[in-house]
């Protein structure tokens, strides 16, 4: 089970979910780009009815791992 910084187990009630539109706004990309990341498996998401919800922590993790040295 994932743990937070204090080594306490993370419960599902502590997970903050974002809509595709919110993720797109946060990343400053189109909603289609977010859908592509979700469908390719690069960005984990849960399907709720016909829409997707992305854990906020997953977005931060994706962005942290997306940095590259352009120098």
């Amino acid at each position: 089970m994932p743990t937070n910084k204090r080594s306490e187990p993370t419960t599902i009630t502590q997970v903050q979910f974002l809509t595709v539109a919110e993720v797109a706004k946060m990343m400053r990309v189109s909603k289609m780009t977010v859908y592509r990341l979700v469908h390719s498996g690069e960005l984990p998401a849960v399907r709720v009815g016909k829409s997707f919800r992305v854990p906020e922590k997953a977005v931060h993790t994706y962005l942290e791992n997306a940095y590259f040295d352009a120098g």
Side-chain angles (χ1 to χ4, degrees):
M1 179 172 257
T3 58
N4 59 24
K5 293 180 183 177
R6 293 185 209 117
S7 298
E8 298 168 5
T10 303
T11 64
I12 198 69
T13 57
Q14 293 172 312
V15 177
Q16 295 294 315
F17 289 99
L18 302 171
T19 65
V20 168
E22 290 170 330
V23 174
K25 185 175 179 181
M26 180 186 291
M27 293 176 64
R28 299 185 72 161
V29 297
S30 71
K31 289 192 294 186
M32 186 53 67
T33 298
V34 177
Y35 281 117
R36 285 187 192 115
L37 291 171
V38 168
H39 287 290
S40 72
E42 293 180 69
L43 192 60
V46 231
R47 190 160 187 133
V48 180
K50 293 183 179 181
S51 60
F52 289 98
R53 294 295 182 268
V54 181
E56 186 175 18
K57 185 167 174 52
V59 177
H60 293 291
T61 301
Y62 175 81
L63 291 173
E64 287 170 1
N65 294 328
Y67 283 103
F68 68 95
D69 187 8

